Amino acid sequence: MFLYAVASGRWEPVTIRNIQPGEMIKSAAIKAAGYAISTISVLLLGFVSWRSASRDPLLSLCLVIGMATSIAGMGLRCLSYRVEEDEQPSADRYVLNL
């Protein structure tokens, strides 16, 4: 799987070698997309499992709680990455006035 970007008027595959520093995809955006995809997969798997789990109230409860805790855990992990990013010192914050 390749990512493509328009460079000099034509589509070129994106590789580490031809990405300029200002064009780097932020790791936080990639992590957030991964967690969104994981959340969708949990919902889809829960949807598929609901028919058999709905026959037993305990199974239904376990399925709903399991889905909710999985989604909440992914949300907290995503939030923790954002907090870490805010806590890291940035070069922009330290300006020398000479």
Side-chain angles (χ1 to χ4, degrees):
M1 183 172 104
F2 293 100
L3 293 175
Y4 287 87
V6 176
S8 64
R10 60 191 171 108
W11 287 95
E12 294 181 359
V14 176
T15 64
I16 296 300
R17 292 184 190 115
N18 66 5
I19 295 178
Q20 300 301 318
E23 298 173 346
M24 288 294 283
I25 300 170
K26 292 186 76 173
S27 66
I30 295 170
K31 290 173 186 169
Y35 288 125
I37 291 169
S38 295
T39 299
I40 291 169
S41 74
V42 167
L43 294 173
L44 290 173
L45 291 170
F47 178 75
V48 170
S49 303
W50 182 253
R51 181 175 287 175
S52 63
S54 65
R55 296 179 191 145
D56 182 4
L58 182 60
L59 286 178
S60 298
L61 181 65
C62 289
L63 178 63
V64 169
I65 290 173
M67 290 172 58
T69 55
S70 178
I71 292 170
M74 286 182 279
L76 289 173
R77 287 184 67 189
C78 188
L79 181 63
S80 75
Y81 286 124
R82 292 191 182 264
V83 168
E84 281 179 7
E85 197 172 80
D86 289 343
E87 290 175 349
Q88 290 179 351
S90 173
D92 297 337
R93 294 182 189 163
Y94 303 103
V95 178
L96 293 175
N97 293 321
L98 301 175

